[in-house]
Amino acid sequence: MEIPITGFVVHSNDSDSGHSHQLFLTSWDGRPVNVHVHPFEGDTSFDVGHFHHYVGVTEPAPSGVPHVHNYHAQTSFNDQHKHMIRGTTGPAIPLAGGGHYHYFEGYTTVDGRIPHAHRYSGNTGNEQGYPATSY
């Protein structure tokens, strides 16, 4: 038995894991599978006399099922350098009025005149859904 599916592939430039792709389904047996993303932003910890700001949007994930999101962003340019943040959120945390958000945390890449990393953490914004057909 064949079940028709459609989707899209996202290429990862993650140098730590080598060349990779992720497949996101957009329809299963002719029915659309909706996906969504979350905005996120914040400030890193204050280290070596400065901090950095970051802002981004998570990678897409399916709506209505247990899931997490991958994310990555470049920090602001402070003290003559910038850092990258990259990771995977925690599971969805429901909001009382509907929707959900995710907790995220980690450490930036090491950079700077005095090599160092910064800690970051926060909650994403509420989900921003869109039908898969918008791709």
Side-chain angles (χ1 to χ4, degrees):
M1 174 176 164
E2 291 186 27
I3 298 174
I5 62 169
T6 59
F8 62 95
V9 175
V10 176
H11 171 70
S12 172
N13 286 324
D14 186 356
S15 62
D16 293 336
S17 64
H19 182 86
S20 66
H21 295 90
Q22 289 182 310
L23 172 64
F24 292 93
L25 297 182
T26 56
S27 74
W28 180 273
D29 201 18
R31 295 182 304 259
V33 174
N34 291 337
V35 295
H36 68 280
V37 296
H38 296 265
F40 65 92
E41 68 176 299
D43 294 318
T44 67
S45 59
F46 186 84
D47 298 288
V48 194
H50 68 281
F51 69 94
H52 298 267
H53 185 72
Y54 57 88
V55 62
V57 176
T58 65
E59 292 183 5
S63 299
V65 297
H67 66 280
V68 294
H69 295 264
N70 291 327
Y71 64 88
H72 63 276
Q74 183 173 286
T75 68
S76 58
F77 185 78
N78 295 17
D79 196 40
Q80 303 299 309
H81 69 278
K82 58 191 169 194
H83 299 268
M84 291 297 295
I85 68 170
R86 179 179 305 274
T88 302
T89 68
I93 302 167
L95 290 165
H100 67 275
Y101 66 96
H102 298 263
Y103 177 73
F104 63 93
E105 67 180 339
Y107 288 89
T108 66
T109 56
V110 174
D111 207 330
R113 288 179 285 114
I114 300 170
H116 65 282
H118 297 268
R119 180 162 170 62
Y120 66 87
S121 65
N123 295 319
T124 66
N126 194 2
E127 62 187 297
Q128 298 177 345
Y130 45 91
T133 55
S134 67
Y135 290 101

